[in-house]
Amino acid sequence: MHKVAIFGAAGYGGIELIRLLLAHPDVEITYLAGHTTVGEELTDLYPHLRGKLDLPIGETSVNRAIAQADLLFSCLPHAVGAELVAEALDKDLRVVDFSADFRLKDASVYEQYYRPHPVPDLLAEAVYGLPELHRAEIATARLVAVPGCYSTGAILALAPAAQAALVAPRAIIVDSKSGVSGAGRSNLTLTTHFAEVNESLAAYKVAQHRHGPEIDQELSAWGEEIRVTFVPHLIPITRGILTTAYATLREGISLAQVQQVYANSYADEPFVQVMPAGRQPATKQVSGSNQCYLGLAVDDPANQLIVTSAIDNLIKGLSGAAVQCMNLMLGLPETTSLEAPALWP
Amino acid sequence: MHKVAIFGAAGYGGIELIRLLLAHPDVEITYLAGHTTVGEELTDLYPHLRGKLDLPIGETSVNRAIAQADLLFSCLPHAVGAELVAEALDKDLRVVDFSADFRLKDASVYEQYYRPHPVPDLLAEAVYGLPELHRAEIATARLVAVPGCYSTGAILALAPAAQAALVAPRAIIVDSKSGVSGAGRSNLTLTTHFAEVNESLAAYKVAQHRHGPEIDQELSAWGEEIRVTFVPHLIPITRGILTTAYATLREGISLAQVQQVYANSYADEPFVQVMPAGRQPATKQVSGSNQCYLGLAVDDPANQLIVTSAIDNLIKGLSGAAVQCMNLMLGLPETTSLEAPALWP
Amino acid sequence: MHKVAIFGAAGYGGIELIRLLLAHPDVEITYLAGHTTVGEELTDLYPHLRGKLDLPIGETSVNRAIAQADLLFSCLPHAVGAELVAEALDKDLRVVDFSADFRLKDASVYEQYYRPHPVPDLLAEAVYGLPELHRAEIATARLVAVPGCYSTGAILALAPAAQAALVAPRAIIVDSKSGVSGAGRSNLTLTTHFAEVNESLAAYKVAQHRHGPEIDQELSAWGEEIRVTFVPHLIPITRGILTTAYATLREGISLAQVQQVYANSYADEPFVQVMPAGRQPATKQVSGSNQCYLGLAVDDPANQLIVTSAIDNLIKGLSGAAVQCMNLMLGLPETTSLEAPALWP
Amino acid sequence: MHKVAIFGAAGYGGIELIRLLLAHPDVEITYLAGHTTVGEELTDLYPHLRGKLDLPIGETSVNRAIAQADLLFSCLPHAVGAELVAEALDKDLRVVDFSADFRLKDASVYEQYYRPHPVPDLLAEAVYGLPELHRAEIATARLVAVPGCYSTGAILALAPAAQAALVAPRAIIVDSKSGVSGAGRSNLTLTTHFAEVNESLAAYKVAQHRHGPEIDQELSAWGEEIRVTFVPHLIPITRGILTTAYATLREGISLAQVQQVYANSYADEPFVQVMPAGRQPATKQVSGSNQCYLGLAVDDPANQLIVTSAIDNLIKGLSGAAVQCMNLMLGLPETTSLEAPALWP
């Protein structure tokens, strides 16, 4: 039985991670740490876990985690936990990090979107935790950075097209629509106030969102430098991201060919499904699951490839991805505790 | 490995049953039958199940079910499957029935709310599938009738008070609020049209709903005849029923005593949780789980006991209850495949 | 043209009041005051008002209000504005107050639910701003207290029954369901966080909510002392309150008689509609309007009268009621600027 | 007082038209016609209109309309009312048509998306009812075709860029997100079932939706033939369309220049607002109003112009546009009965 500790356990990422790990036969949660919640019982904060995990919330201390765990999930926000992650690695604790701190390879890009990087030397070693692109490296990594939720949906939507050079590397549009849970639990602002968000739609951080550079980095892995125009939108649902990606097809490529390339790319992937031609995924089809569903279409007169992807932002877009990486790191079957289908309806 | 067949597999009750059984280590789904969907692949109707259960939908035939299963779940609507249930029992197939056909003991009450009962002789034998009240009988039953979704929430809220005679048997109010999935999938009317239901609330079938007599029947098991005033409301959520029950406390009974009676009643129940004094459950705390959460309060000046109960109408209120009964009937641990906590958020 | 000032203009009550007054042909808004928003343009906070009202937000100063207005709307929270109201009255400015400060006649009840009353001498003079019960007094009042949103729905549901003594004065249940806008705009807590509220239902402040004593006070106006058990619930909609009230009918009173009493009571009321027998109102039918819709039913075997009422909590439950009172106070037609029907769908 | 008749009065377009006309001081509704609802009282179908318009629903007869009205609103679905419109024009009744039948100038394009056009001779005469582009022609038209709801949002977002040739005419993406009311009231399918739509997002009719050719037709008015890739999405809100449009900026054009061009284009438009640089509209800011709000941004490295537009699909996207056209046709002030701001929240 592997033992894991969780920092930032009381946020949405932490709580969803706990739910998934509670169903995991080979992993035990031995330590929980929080920030404003130290000393509280997890089940007082989250009554839905009554009887499932009676652990108090302790301090965010690497030494305590090491005393009780073989692997650390750091669910701390961006720019809060980087030094702790470095300390944990120094003390031989493997880490799966939920923040943006170790996703970007280029410290100057990181600095542009966040702050000067406190431990830039770790960037080269950290592995981007998208198993569909980095499975082998994740298995042996000491430090895995879980991708941004938007990034996962966008990268899985476009990677086969980029890899097979089906599309031009410019004028790629990524129009994403996210539920409100992506803002996190401690984010109590007017943009999460029910009466302001409900029955409304809006774009935000147009072409300025911090997940943009992640998408570019990962899609540029096959020779051509790709840069997308990324526009996120806030949608009044709790869970789910739908991404609609647009790219100009190279001459003479048909929808059938695209469909074949995608089917081949993801043939062995347990968590990516390419829908039959003519069908588009709905986020509800993956809500509560670790699946990413993809739908393909081509606007022939405009030569535009249109790919839609649907994920649950808190599972495949966050905590499920973290468990998937953990399974790989620990040599467990990759799908363990991640096989539940969506709840419907 | 036990084998089960499902009639009415493509409705919301059927599909939720399938989800729960897919995670069950001791049960295999071997036959699916539908009505308007014969010949279709389940995963074409429900893409969220892609790769999980590749069974076609067959005809609603008892003989086919018997050929492949030891137990039949009949998820057919009221007044559609009663004769099929009788045929299945004749041929030694045990049945868990989702309809209202075998819940009421009194055929004349059934007739008043539904139609003349086609097989009234079975009413005496059928067991009301609420394990908290009928665990032993369910274990040996040939025919179990899953309670109405409203009934489960109301009965669990009031049973300890009725059993311990804490409250007067008259002027009991059951004010229930249900999500829209309770209307079923094939119910395409203005009352399930998103644009009509969303951002709205209303009562319906005031004091005339068919779950009222079920509640009365079960709460009258301890000597006093109880009759509740039952008013259901439609709420713009997908899953969940919150029931607020009001009853006049007998002289001199305090909230602390009530809390103790409830705690004792449900001490050994895996799926009923009495919240600490002063806390009220939210449906989201049980959404996706088989739990029923109860909150207790007393309005002292008015001598009113107020009990709120929260369930997921499709799990504890329907398909989870069915699996719980099946576990008992098959001699399996009662909680198998039902231990998942709610998704949060 | 009458001139009015608004304190607390940037909250939901203030902004809805502004919307209604913008359509009022006889009233001009001349002064806006805020708390944290002094110096900002209203339309920066509320872009939906662009081009409609280009007024900056000033300080909450009675002298400034007097300089520019004949009547003051004080939309400040409970326990913030009472002294300002007193000051305004001293300086001959008539006031419509949105807070709870002047609704209760008994300072000791106020103290029990809020704090010691700072200006208890004004309680006798203040008029409870429910035109259906206090029309004549409102017309000549210096100080009108707009009722609590829950109170309006509950009182209008039960007043004819109380006045005609159709029901017993005890064991009256008021089960209310409110949208989230009732919590206000500045209330940024987990109970207004979209991801926590959406797809959930819960009761709160069971039998302890501060609108309970208002309901009792107003329903006790006809000789019998009435005390209700009041339980509010939070529902994931933005606007609307549905109240389901239960009371024991006195011997021998039929639904037809009840229907007649209610029809007579409200025959001349422009903003209360009694639905035909057998129909229940939905909140959406009044959302965006100043209407209160009522539905009547009787549970004969239990002798229970069931009344449901639907209002828009921000209009008939708050700002619309305030405008209705203002119209009376200024001698204008009572319905001016309040005649819009609900938006549907 | 002008008199108008309405065909198809009981659908969402009709009912919203009625709401707007009830507040119109110069227009009286004198005749209502329905299809499945003939003989019913409008207020039985729509209780929110009780006391507002007590008209029965009559037959869809041009002669009856002529007998009582000077102008006909035909809110019939596509391919149902074209012959009736022709008959009305023959008999000198001016018509505002809600369907797609008279929007496209090219009968062969119409046929490709709908059916062979029954009265193609009228296409040349019909005026596309977007006042921002066709104000003068609308004023004198006998037949005005109200634009598709998606089309209005897309055209207003891109027209200034097209007119000023700020962008390349190819690789223009229009990613639109619509609430469910756009599907209409009689559309009772799984795609409007609350439990299927709520908490979900999906694209549909990808690059095949019938509003695409309308957008192309109108944006091609200034010399360059424009063809957009149009992808609609269904969002779980009742009202509102948010459109995010992407186009490649021509060399050397800055956001400031774009902002200026748009400000100039819409300077005199009462119902189009260009937001300050850096702000994006939310649909809730226009919900309940006839406004279209526009937000501008540029992704500099990719040279992409991004325009977001927000409208209420039932008002500026349908019935409000119809009233705006009617005002022009009747020589009334264009904004009459259309000045209400959005409801907030």
Side-chain angles (χ1 to χ4, degrees):
Chain A
M1 186 71 87
H2 299 276
K3 294 176 177 178
V4 302
I6 304 175
F7 286 179
Y12 287 156
I15 211 73
E16 186 68 351
L17 177 63
I18 290 169
R19 187 180 70 84
L20 294 169
L21 293 177
L22 284 173
H24 200 299
D26 305 315
V27 171
E28 184 187 359
I29 302 169
T30 54
Y31 190 73
L32 300 179
H35 180 55
T36 59
T37 53
V38 176
E40 298 194 59
E41 288 292 318
L42 187 70
T43 51
D44 281 342
L45 296 172
Y46 287 110
H48 73 286
L49 291 177
R50 287 189 67 188
K52 302 293 178 188
L53 183 67
D54 290 323
L55 273 182
I57 298 177
E59 285 176 25
T60 306
S61 149
V62 171
N63 284 336
R64 295 209 183 181
I66 287 170
Q68 303 187 47
D70 317 313
L71 186 144
L72 170 66
F73 290 98
S74 177
C75 312
L76 300 169
H78 314 312
V80 168
E83 288 90 344
L84 290 168
V85 167
E87 180 189 347
L89 294 177
D90 273 351
K91 295 177 175 167
D92 287 332
L93 195 60
R94 297 172 85 185
V95 179
V96 177
D97 185 46
F98 281 47
S99 83
D101 290 342
F102 301 100
R103 296 174 190 158
L104 295 171
K105 292 299 165 196
D106 184 335
S108 69
V109 177
Y110 179 87
E111 180 168 350
Q112 183 182 339
Y113 283 85
Y114 300 91
R115 52 162 189 174
H117 202 290
V119 285
D121 293 351
L122 285 175
L123 292 182
E125 175 185 357
V127 177
Y128 195 77
L130 196 63
E132 291 77 8
L133 297 189
H134 302 286
R135 183 167 282 114
E137 304 151 77
I138 292 167
T140 58
R142 290 198 311 156
L143 171 55
V144 170
V146 177
C149 52
Y150 283 122
S151 313
T152 293
I155 296 166
L156 293 177
L158 288 169
Q163 182 169 20
L166 302 180
V167 296
R170 298 289 145 176
I172 297 179
I173 307 295
V174 174
D175 186 294
S176 290
K177 299 95 178 162
S178 175
V180 181
S181 63
R185 185 179 188 239
S186 53
N187 184 3
L188 295 172
T189 67
L190 284 176
T191 60
T192 57
H193 190 306
F194 183 90
E196 305 263 323
V197 174
N198 188 39
E199 287 290 296
S200 195
L201 300 175
Y204 67 102
K205 292 188 187 163
V206 172
Q208 298 179 329
H209 192 279
R210 307 189 289 193
H211 292 174
E214 284 182 46
I215 301 168
D216 294 344
Q217 169 183 292
E218 294 299 310
L219 291 180
S220 300
W222 298 280
E224 279 188 314
E225 194 193 334
I226 285 183
R227 197 187 166 293
V228 306
T229 294
F230 172 55
V231 179
H233 299 74
L234 187 66
I235 306 289
I237 65 173
T238 299
R239 284 173 180 245
I241 292 177
L242 188 80
T243 294
T244 313
Y246 303 83
T248 306
L249 273 179
R250 296 204 200 267
E251 277 298 307
I253 295 176
S254 69
L255 174 57
Q257 287 170 291
V258 174
Q259 192 91 23
Q260 191 58 50
V261 166
Y262 274 70
N264 291 348
S265 276
Y266 292 129
D268 297 328
E269 287 300 336
F271 297 120
V272 183
Q273 309 277 335
V274 182
M275 304 201 80
R279 298 192 73 163
Q280 301 293 329
T283 56
K284 196 171 183 64
Q285 290 164 352
V286 298
S287 187
S289 90
N290 196 50
Q291 292 289 330
C292 174
Y293 277 21
L294 298 176
L296 301 167
V298 169
D299 182 14
D300 283 320
N303 229 27
Q304 285 283 330
L305 171 65
I306 303 143
V307 189
T308 62
S309 72
I311 60 170
D312 183 320
N313 59 307
L314 294 178
I315 306 184
K316 186 60 179 164
L318 190 60
S319 303
V323 172
Q324 193 178 348
C325 290
M326 177 203 75
N327 283 337
L328 290 166
M329 293 167 80
L330 299 179
L332 301 170
E334 187 173 342
T335 60
T336 306
S337 101
L338 297 172
E339 301 193 89
L343 262 79
W344 191 280
Chain B
M1 187 70 88
H2 300 276
K3 294 177 176 177
V4 302
I6 304 175
F7 286 0
Y12 287 156
I15 211 71
E16 186 68 351
L17 177 63
I18 289 168
R19 187 180 70 84
L20 293 168
L21 292 177
L22 285 172
H24 199 298
D26 305 314
V27 170
E28 183 187 359
I29 302 169
T30 54
Y31 190 72
L32 300 179
H35 180 54
T36 59
T37 52
V38 177
E40 298 193 57
E41 289 293 318
L42 186 69
T43 51
D44 282 343
L45 296 171
Y46 287 109
H48 73 287
L49 292 177
R50 287 189 68 188
K52 302 294 178 187
L53 183 67
D54 290 322
L55 272 183
I57 298 177
E59 287 176 24
T60 306
S61 150
V62 171
N63 284 335
R64 295 209 182 181
I66 288 170
Q68 303 187 48
D70 316 314
L71 186 144
L72 170 65
F73 290 98
S74 177
C75 312
L76 300 169
H78 312 313
V80 168
E83 288 90 345
L84 290 167
V85 168
E87 182 190 345
L89 294 177
D90 273 351
K91 294 176 174 165
D92 287 332
L93 195 59
R94 296 172 85 186
V95 178
V96 177
D97 185 46
F98 280 48
S99 84
D101 290 343
F102 300 101
R103 294 174 191 159
L104 296 171
K105 291 299 165 195
D106 184 336
S108 68
V109 176
Y110 179 87
E111 181 168 349
Q112 184 184 335
Y113 282 85
Y114 300 91
R115 51 160 191 175
H117 202 290
V119 285
D121 293 352
L122 285 173
L123 293 182
E125 176 186 356
V127 177
Y128 195 77
L130 195 64
E132 290 77 8
L133 297 188
H134 302 285
R135 184 166 282 115
E137 304 151 78
I138 291 167
T140 59
R142 291 199 309 157
L143 171 55
V144 169
V146 177
C149 52
Y150 283 121
S151 313
T152 292
I155 297 167
L156 293 176
L158 288 170
Q163 183 168 18
L166 303 180
V167 296
R170 299 290 145 177
I172 298 179
I173 306 296
V174 174
D175 186 293
S176 289
K177 300 96 178 161
S178 174
V180 182
S181 64
R185 186 181 189 237
S186 54
N187 185 5
L188 296 171
T189 67
L190 284 175
T191 60
T192 57
H193 191 305
F194 182 91
E196 305 263 322
V197 174
N198 188 39
E199 286 290 297
S200 194
L201 300 176
Y204 67 102
K205 293 189 187 162
V206 173
Q208 297 180 329
H209 192 278
R210 307 189 289 191
H211 291 174
E214 285 182 45
I215 299 167
D216 294 345
Q217 168 182 292
E218 295 298 310
L219 292 180
S220 301
W222 298 281
E224 280 188 313
E225 195 193 332
I226 284 183
R227 196 188 168 292
V228 307
T229 293
F230 173 55
V231 178
H233 300 73
L234 188 65
I235 305 290
I237 66 173
T238 299
R239 285 173 180 243
I241 292 178
L242 188 80
T243 294
T244 313
Y246 303 84
T248 306
L249 273 179
R250 295 203 201 267
E251 278 297 306
I253 295 176
S254 69
L255 174 57
Q257 286 171 291
V258 174
Q259 192 91 21
Q260 192 58 50
V261 166
Y262 273 71
N264 292 347
S265 276
Y266 292 128
D268 297 329
E269 288 300 335
F271 297 120
V272 183
Q273 311 277 335
V274 182
M275 305 201 80
R279 299 193 72 162
Q280 301 294 328
T283 57
K284 197 171 184 64
Q285 291 164 351
V286 298
S287 188
S289 89
N290 196 49
Q291 292 289 331
C292 175
Y293 276 20
L294 297 177
L296 300 168
V298 169
D299 183 14
D300 283 320
N303 229 28
Q304 285 283 330
L305 171 65
I306 302 143
V307 189
T308 63
S309 72
I311 60 170
D312 183 318
N313 59 306
L314 293 177
I315 306 183
K316 187 58 180 165
L318 191 60
S319 303
V323 171
Q324 194 177 349
C325 290
M326 178 203 75
N327 283 337
L328 290 167
M329 294 167 79
L330 298 178
L332 301 169
E334 187 173 341
T335 60
T336 307
S337 100
L338 297 172
E339 300 193 88
L343 263 77
W344 191 279
Chain C
M1 187 71 85
H2 300 275
K3 294 177 178 177
V4 301
I6 304 176
F7 286 0
Y12 286 156
I15 211 73
E16 186 68 351
L17 177 63
I18 290 168
R19 187 180 69 84
L20 293 169
L21 292 177
L22 285 172
H24 200 299
D26 305 314
V27 171
E28 183 186 359
I29 302 169
T30 54
Y31 190 71
L32 300 179
H35 180 54
T36 59
T37 52
V38 176
E40 298 193 58
E41 288 292 318
L42 187 70
T43 52
D44 282 342
L45 297 171
Y46 287 110
H48 73 286
L49 292 177
R50 287 189 68 189
K52 302 292 179 188
L53 182 68
D54 291 322
L55 272 184
I57 298 177
E59 285 176 25
T60 305
S61 149
V62 171
N63 284 336
R64 295 207 183 182
I66 288 170
Q68 303 187 49
D70 317 312
L71 187 144
L72 170 66
F73 290 98
S74 176
C75 312
L76 299 168
H78 313 314
V80 169
E83 288 90 345
L84 290 167
V85 167
E87 181 190 347
L89 295 177
D90 273 352
K91 295 174 174 168
D92 287 332
L93 194 60
R94 295 172 86 186
V95 178
V96 177
D97 184 46
F98 280 48
S99 82
D101 290 342
F102 300 100
R103 296 175 191 158
L104 295 170
K105 292 299 165 195
D106 184 336
S108 69
V109 177
Y110 178 86
E111 180 168 350
Q112 184 184 336
Y113 283 86
Y114 301 91
R115 51 160 191 176
H117 202 290
V119 285
D121 293 352
L122 284 174
L123 293 182
E125 175 186 358
V127 177
Y128 195 77
L130 196 64
E132 291 77 8
L133 297 188
H134 302 285
R135 184 166 281 114
E137 303 151 78
I138 292 167
T140 59
R142 291 199 309 157
L143 170 55
V144 169
V146 177
C149 52
Y150 283 121
S151 313
T152 293
I155 296 166
L156 292 176
L158 288 169
Q163 183 169 20
L166 302 180
V167 296
R170 298 290 144 173
I172 298 179
I173 307 296
V174 174
D175 185 295
S176 289
K177 299 96 179 163
S178 174
V180 182
S181 63
R185 185 180 189 239
S186 53
N187 184 3
L188 294 172
T189 68
L190 285 175
T191 60
T192 58
H193 190 304
F194 183 90
E196 306 263 323
V197 173
N198 189 38
E199 288 289 297
S200 195
L201 301 175
Y204 68 101
K205 292 188 186 162
V206 173
Q208 298 180 329
H209 193 279
R210 307 190 288 194
H211 292 174
E214 284 182 45
I215 300 168
D216 294 343
Q217 168 183 293
E218 293 299 309
L219 292 180
S220 300
W222 298 282
E224 280 188 313
E225 194 194 333
I226 285 183
R227 194 187 168 292
V228 305
T229 294
F230 172 55
V231 178
H233 300 75
L234 187 66
I235 305 288
I237 65 174
T238 298
R239 285 172 179 244
I241 291 178
L242 188 80
T243 294
T244 314
Y246 303 84
T248 305
L249 274 180
R250 296 203 199 268
E251 277 298 305
I253 295 175
S254 69
L255 175 57
Q257 287 171 291
V258 174
Q259 192 90 22
Q260 191 58 51
V261 166
Y262 274 70
N264 291 347
S265 276
Y266 292 128
D268 297 329
E269 288 300 336
F271 298 120
V272 184
Q273 309 278 333
V274 182
M275 303 201 81
R279 299 192 73 162
Q280 301 294 329
T283 56
K284 198 171 182 64
Q285 290 164 351
V286 298
S287 187
S289 90
N290 195 49
Q291 292 289 331
C292 174
Y293 277 19
L294 297 176
L296 300 167
V298 169
D299 183 14
D300 283 320
N303 229 29
Q304 285 284 330
L305 171 65
I306 302 144
V307 189
T308 63
S309 72
I311 60 170
D312 184 318
N313 59 306
L314 294 178
I315 307 183
K316 185 60 179 165
L318 192 59
S319 303
V323 171
Q324 193 177 349
C325 290
M326 177 203 76
N327 283 336
L328 290 167
M329 293 166 80
L330 299 178
L332 302 169
E334 187 173 341
T335 60
T336 305
S337 101
L338 297 172
E339 300 193 88
L343 262 77
W344 192 279
Chain D
M1 185 70 86
H2 300 275
K3 294 177 177 177
V4 301
I6 304 175
F7 286 180
Y12 287 156
I15 211 72
E16 186 69 350
L17 177 63
I18 289 169
R19 186 180 70 84
L20 294 168
L21 293 177
L22 285 172
H24 200 299
D26 306 314
V27 171
E28 182 186 1
I29 303 169
T30 54
Y31 190 72
L32 300 179
H35 180 55
T36 59
T37 52
V38 176
E40 299 192 58
E41 289 291 320
L42 187 70
T43 51
D44 282 343
L45 297 172
Y46 288 109
H48 72 287
L49 292 177
R50 288 189 67 188
K52 302 293 178 188
L53 183 67
D54 290 322
L55 272 183
I57 298 177
E59 285 176 25
T60 306
S61 150
V62 171
N63 284 336
R64 294 206 183 183
I66 288 170
Q68 303 186 47
D70 317 312
L71 186 144
L72 170 65
F73 290 98
S74 176
C75 311
L76 300 168
H78 314 313
V80 168
E83 288 90 344
L84 290 167
V85 168
E87 181 189 346
L89 295 176
D90 274 351
K91 295 176 174 167
D92 287 333
L93 195 60
R94 295 172 86 185
V95 178
V96 177
D97 185 46
F98 281 48
S99 83
D101 290 343
F102 300 100
R103 296 174 191 159
L104 295 171
K105 291 298 166 197
D106 184 335
S108 69
V109 176
Y110 179 87
E111 180 168 351
Q112 184 184 335
Y113 282 85
Y114 300 91
R115 52 161 189 174
H117 202 291
V119 286
D121 293 352
L122 285 174
L123 293 182
E125 175 185 358
V127 177
Y128 195 77
L130 195 64
E132 290 78 8
L133 297 188
H134 302 285
R135 183 166 281 114
E137 304 151 77
I138 292 167
T140 59
R142 291 200 308 157
L143 170 56
V144 170
V146 177
C149 51
Y150 283 120
S151 313
T152 293
I155 296 165
L156 293 176
L158 288 169
Q163 183 168 19
L166 303 179
V167 295
R170 298 291 145 174
I172 297 178
I173 307 295
V174 175
D175 185 295
S176 290
K177 300 95 178 163
S178 174
V180 182
S181 64
R185 187 182 188 235
S186 55
N187 184 4
L188 295 172
T189 68
L190 285 176
T191 59
T192 57
H193 191 306
F194 183 90
E196 306 262 324
V197 174
N198 188 39
E199 286 289 297
S200 195
L201 301 175
Y204 67 102
K205 292 189 188 164
V206 173
Q208 297 180 329
H209 192 278
R210 307 189 290 195
H211 292 173
E214 284 182 45
I215 300 168
D216 294 344
Q217 168 183 293
E218 295 299 311
L219 292 180
S220 301
W222 297 281
E224 279 189 313
E225 194 194 333
I226 285 183
R227 194 186 169 292
V228 306
T229 294
F230 172 55
V231 178
H233 300 74
L234 188 65
I235 305 290
I237 65 173
T238 298
R239 285 173 180 244
I241 292 178
L242 188 81
T243 294
T244 313
Y246 303 84
T248 306
L249 273 179
R250 295 200 200 269
E251 277 297 305
I253 296 175
S254 69
L255 174 57
Q257 287 172 291
V258 174
Q259 192 90 23
Q260 191 58 51
V261 166
Y262 274 71
N264 292 346
S265 276
Y266 292 129
D268 297 328
E269 289 300 335
F271 298 120
V272 184
Q273 310 277 334
V274 182
M275 304 200 80
R279 299 193 73 162
Q280 301 294 329
T283 57
K284 197 170 185 63
Q285 290 164 351
V286 298
S287 188
S289 89
N290 195 51
Q291 292 289 331
C292 175
Y293 276 20
L294 297 177
L296 301 168
V298 168
D299 182 15
D300 283 320
N303 229 29
Q304 285 283 330
L305 171 64
I306 302 144
V307 189
T308 62
S309 72
I311 59 170
D312 183 319
N313 59 306
L314 294 178
I315 306 184
K316 185 59 179 165
L318 191 59
S319 304
V323 172
Q324 194 178 348
C325 290
M326 178 203 75
N327 283 337
L328 290 167
M329 293 167 79
L330 298 179
L332 302 169
E334 187 173 340
T335 60
T336 306
S337 100
L338 297 172
E339 300 192 90
L343 262 77
W344 191 279

